[in-house]
Amino acid sequence: MAECATYGTVAVLQINNPPLNVLGHDVRSQLMSGLQQALQDKAVCSIVIMGKGQTFTAGADVKEFGTEKVFWEPTLHSLVEAVSASTKPVVTAIHGTTLGGGVALALASHYRLADSSAKMGLPEVQLGILPTCGVTQRLPRLVGLQTAVRMVTSGQTQSAQQALTAGLLDKVVTDDLLKKAVGFARSVDVRGLEARRVSSWTVPGADRAEDVLDAARKTLVRRSRGAIAPLTALQAIQASLLPFETGMKREAELGRYLWTSWQAAALRYAFFAERTVKRWHIPRNKNVNYRTAEPMDIKSVGVLGAGTMGVGITISLLQAGLKVVLTEVNKAQLDKAVSLIQRSLEGKSGGKPQPMQLRATTDYSQLREVDLVIEAVFEDLALKKKVFQQLDAVTNPRTILATNTSGLDIDQIAAATQRPDKVIGTHFFSPAHVMRLLENIYGRHTSVETIATAMQLGATIGKVGVLVGNCPGFVGNRMKGLNFTEAMFLLEEGAEPQDVDKALEEFGFAMGPFRVSDLAGGDVHWRRRIQAGLTTEHGPPPYTPVLYRQGNRYSPLADMLCMQGRFGQKTGAGWYRYKSGSRTALPDAEVHRLIHKHRQDHGFQRRNISSQEIVERCLFPLINEGFRILEEGLATGPQDIDVIFLLGFGWPRHTGGPMYYADKVVGLGNLLQSLEKYRAYHPRSAHWVPSSLLRKMAAQGTSLSIWAAGSRL
Ligand code: NAI
């Protein structure tokens, strides 16, 4: 766990807790006793702390979070203070990616040395907690307020060179860190020790502190969108201007506040949920699961359709070192795609895709030898069926055929082939080379090998794969669609687009639904509604009431905007107007007039609508649908739904995801009550009918987490 050795007058304490050398209780205990021995050993003049294996230490053991173990002595805090108080100089020698507690140890040491490839970072705020153990007090004293605020609140890692420039490191070395650290430790002198304790320093540039902190506060209020950890961290850093002991008390106080906050619990849940979804099984047959399945080895992938998604998917695959055959019917589009791909990969570590790795063609027969094809042609079922028939004919029978459809029936697509067991949905999110989510959809006949291969492919290209069952829109789009429906009803009843967007942005979304619609282009969904027979290019279908379609309440407002050619940013006007070349959404009197007239024409009485009602009306139907999805066995557990929303739809991470939020923040009883309340006002909206699973759980007073614990292998 931690090994001690002496090299002449230097004692070396090496953490050995693979793979990441996390500072669990055993490691802390052994480091502490190693330190004490070295202090007692008269032959030892200085001490080196370092790590074996791939990193110095990745910090605290997250598995201890939420348990008593984290408070067992020696705590990380006691260890760090013992290092700082050491009567012999302590040199920390850093390599690999050193996080959180590792940085705390380094800051408390008297000298900091690092290998040139080392990285240092403070990810605590991303888990809703504060970097404590003196980090918020020592770091600003060492690197100044501005850098400290950036490191603590962003969680971004610093390279060794950046850390050296910032003053966080004393020296960067190449090769043989142990030898260099021992040599360095021999050269340091106990006489200068007092001055090397960062706790005795004052924060540089303290006279400009107010301006720096004010500017940081403004940025954080805007960026953190309801997350409390970044602003709390700023308060702790501000306390570094006080005497060290006072600042430490403040840090401990704020640390406790965040540690016990609901947001820290939610962020911890989100962290583990991303790991839990890897443990997939098919709800109706638990024997088909991640343990029993063997994936196929995938070395080459065909991508069919070189549009927006085909380009992003190709970039992801090439970056992971896979060979890609990009196939497209339109030669001009293909050339454009290849140049986009090359530009995107230029300057990245992989450099330009080698000719061997990317083959671009208009000839389907080039797909003959690939291991897997991902189809990304237009969202049109007839076209997809035709294309799958062609793929079935041209590819090797062992090739897996995947579709990137946003919500079409996987079984119908599979039925166009002679190999339905090898057909699966691999739903990427746009931009596909950036978004980390891969929603994998199995059909009725998809084999366990095909499922395992799609899940493995996700991991290979750095995505988080979530396995779900087949239904219109799958999990993500099926739930998300409901949020926009209610957003429009809110406009009819009195809200303006900017009111709805503001309420959801305050809840934590980067953009409200109307700004998202303007960004994505309102025409995309308009075409889908036309295809679904809900509307026509000229208004409601004949003999159809304006406010009702297919048995449900319907708002035609989005259709009315599209009929005027207002598709959003690309046409300079949508729910907002946009100045030429600008993406800033400006409220538009035209839209307000259109909504106002619609309200008058249909007898809506305008009323004031609170932000709380807006949030509940937009999010609760979506959550209710999540319960239905669980009930229908389309997702393995609530974590799967939460990960889809966190990674695919920008759901604010500090709330844990829609299902966690419902379970732990709103409460299932309250959620049920609200659904009933809104249902009484909106009896013709099926999405307000509470799911029977929710009813059952609320009646039993059970929670989703208890229910889920039994459902996952
Ligand atoms: P797109 O319109 O940008 O690209 C489609 C491409 O397919 C075009 O370049 C077209 O020339 C090509 N194509 C059409 N028929 C073809 C054929 N028979 N053989 C080869 N190529 C053919 O469409 P986009 O946005 O890339 O969408 C593709 C698929 O991905 C759709 O099913 C869509 O629903 C889905 N999707 C789209 C997302 C988005 O945000 N754009 C997100 C997730 C899924």
Side-chain angles (χ1 to χ4, degrees), residues 304-311 313 327-330 333-334 364 375-380 383-384 386-387 390 403-408 426-431 477 524 528:
L304 188 68
T308 311
M309 295 307 287
V311 166
I313 294 168
T327 314
E328 161 67 58
V329 276
N330 178 340
Q333 176 64 27
L334 183 67
Y364 271 47
E375 164 278 312
V377 303
F378 304 129
E379 185 77 344
D380 172 334
L383 174 66
K384 297 220 189 246
K386 190 178 125 213
V387 156
Q390 287 170 298
T403 171
N404 186 49
T405 171
S406 313
L408 296 173
T426 49
H427 182 203
F428 288 76
F429 286 69
S430 184
N477 284 335
V524 180
R528 282 198 197 137

Side-chain angles (χ1 to χ4, degrees), residues 28 60-61 64-72 74-76 259:
R28 299 196 301 267
D61 185 351
E64 284 188 358
F65 287 12
T67 74
E68 277 300 304
K69 231 174 169 180
V70 81
F71 301 113
W72 289 0
T75 60
L76 193 55
W259 185 261

Side-chain angles (χ1 to χ4, degrees), residues 321-342:
L322 294 163
K323 286 184 191 166
V324 181
V325 180
L326 179 61
T327 314
E328 161 67 58
V329 276
N330 178 340
K331 177 74 172 78
Q333 176 64 27
L334 183 67
D335 293 343
K336 196 172 125 198
V338 170
S339 104
L340 275 173
I341 292 164
Q342 276 173 341

Side-chain angles (χ1 to χ4, degrees), residues 255-288:
R256 273 193 299 277
Y257 161 66
L258 283 184
W259 185 261
T260 52
S261 70
W262 68 272
Q263 291 194 2
L267 286 159
R268 240 181 347 257
Y269 164 84
F271 176 86
F272 285 114
E274 283 188 24
R275 283 145 187 82
T276 305
V277 296
K278 292 181 190 149
R279 293 175 12 230
W280 59 268
H281 70 260
I282 295 186
R284 68 182 134 79
N285 181 3
K286 286 197 175 182
N287 292 329
V288 180

